[in-house]
């Protein structure tokens, strides 16, 4: 399981006449992160700086990078990366564009401004948890409907498919590792009067 962004988020703030525009996006790979950075840089080619950072870690791939893009070393890209890390996020890329307003902010001022723009963009994007899931099929008679639904929904399961014919058929989704215990519980609650069949696993 990891935490990432729901979508693309943007934010803008003005600090001593400098305009900071933050962009945050989910990225499933380092290539995707680099592509996003490239698009923002192209869009803001007239900006003073386009600072960026990304963290890719989905259990298979790992990459961490940041770029100060001409700002004093450690004053821009690194603080943006720290925001990503402090929020416990993975598979995320953030770009903060700066249009210089004529007043120098100093090292601490830059750190604060870039951090705030990154944080606001991330918050506006929304945070979600991604985890592997398992599914199974449960078939039962109508008189067991309430018992089956309550057992599923009261124990971490979610009914993601329903079919009503001679018998009721539910497709149930759970987190990885929780399907088997739930199937055993359904068998117990219904005294073996349900038919169960494991399906497949996916990521959500």
């Amino acid at each position: 399981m990891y935490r990432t962004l729901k979508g693309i988020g943007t934010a803008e703030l003005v600090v001593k006449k400098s305009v900071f525009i933050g962009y945050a996006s989910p990225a499933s790979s380092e290539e995707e992160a680099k592509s996003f950075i490239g698009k923002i840089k192209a869009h803001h080619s007239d900006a003073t700086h386009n600072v960026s950072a990304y963290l890719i870690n989905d259990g298979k791939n790992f990459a961490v990078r940041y770029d100060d893009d001409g700002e004093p070393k450690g004053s821009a890209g690194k603080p943006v990366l720290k925001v990503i890390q402090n929020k416990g996020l993975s598979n995320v890329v953030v770009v903060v564009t700066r249009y210089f307003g004529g007043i120098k902010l100093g090292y601490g001022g830059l750190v604060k401004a870039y951090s705030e723009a990154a944080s606001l963009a991330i918050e506006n994007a929304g945070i979600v948890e991604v985890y592997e899931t398992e599914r199974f099929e449960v078939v039962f008679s109508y008189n067991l409907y309430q018992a089956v639904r309550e057992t599923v929904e009261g124990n971490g399961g979610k009914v993601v498919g329903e079919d009503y014919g001679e018998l009721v058929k539910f497709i149930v989704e759970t987190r990885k590792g929780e399907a088997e215990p739930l199937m055993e519980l359904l068998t117990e609650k219904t005294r073996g009067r349900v038919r169960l069949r494991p399906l497949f696993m996916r990521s959500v």
Side-chain angles (χ1 to χ4, degrees):
M1 185 188 76
Y2 62 90
R3 285 156 52 87
T4 190
L5 300 182
K6 191 180 295 184
I8 295 175
T10 63
E12 183 175 321
L13 67 146
V14 178
V15 181
K16 293 184 179 179
K17 297 185 179 180
S18 279
V19 179
F20 293 84
I21 308 168
Y23 297 89
S25 173
S28 59
S29 65
E30 188 170 14
E31 292 71 27
E32 196 173 317
K34 288 178 178 178
S35 174
F36 183 80
I37 293 167
K39 287 176 184 176
I40 301 301
K41 282 189 171 184
H43 183 66
H44 290 289
S45 58
D46 60 336
T48 317
H49 306 281
N50 284 291
V51 168
S52 60
Y54 59 83
L55 192 158
I56 307 298
N57 184 12
D58 58 6
K60 299 174 184 175
N61 304 296
F62 183 77
V64 179
R65 298 284 186 278
Y66 66 85
D67 180 12
D68 293 315
D69 195 35
E71 291 283 31
K73 185 177 180 181
S75 68
K78 195 170 184 179
V80 171
L81 177 61
K82 280 190 174 181
V83 170
I84 296 172
Q85 293 172 324
N86 289 342
K87 290 182 181 292
L89 300 174
S90 297
N91 290 15
V92 168
V93 55
V94 176
V95 181
V96 180
T97 296
R98 182 191 183 190
Y99 288 91
F100 182 55
I103 301 173
K104 292 185 178 181
L105 303 184
Y107 188 91
L110 289 174
V111 170
K112 184 179 179 183
Y114 279 107
S115 298
E116 188 176 348
S119 184
L120 287 171
I122 286 171
E123 287 173 17
N124 290 335
I127 296 173
V128 294
E129 287 186 348
V130 176
Y131 51 86
E132 287 188 312
T133 65
E134 296 174 303
R135 289 185 174 188
F136 64 88
E137 178 185 274
V138 52
V139 179
F140 52 92
S141 59
Y142 282 85
N143 66 316
L144 294 172
Y145 180 91
Q146 200 66 28
V148 170
R149 184 172 281 277
E150 286 179 359
T151 301
V152 168
E153 295 178 348
N155 293 276
K158 181 180 178 183
V159 177
V160 294
E162 303 174 47
D163 184 70
Y164 300 92
E166 289 186 16
L167 296 170
V168 181
K169 180 171 74 175
F170 282 173
I171 303 300
V172 177
E173 186 172 87
T174 70
R175 290 195 181 202
K176 183 182 177 182
E178 295 180 4
E180 191 172 334
L182 182 51
M183 286 192 284
E184 290 175 359
L185 186 59
L186 282 166
T187 300
E188 179 187 325
K189 292 286 186 182
T190 63
R191 298 178 183 176
R193 292 176 292 165
V194 293
R195 292 207 313 267
L196 299 160
R197 181 168 67 94
L199 296 175
F200 59 88
M201 184 171 65
R202 68 189 191 114
S203 292
V204 299

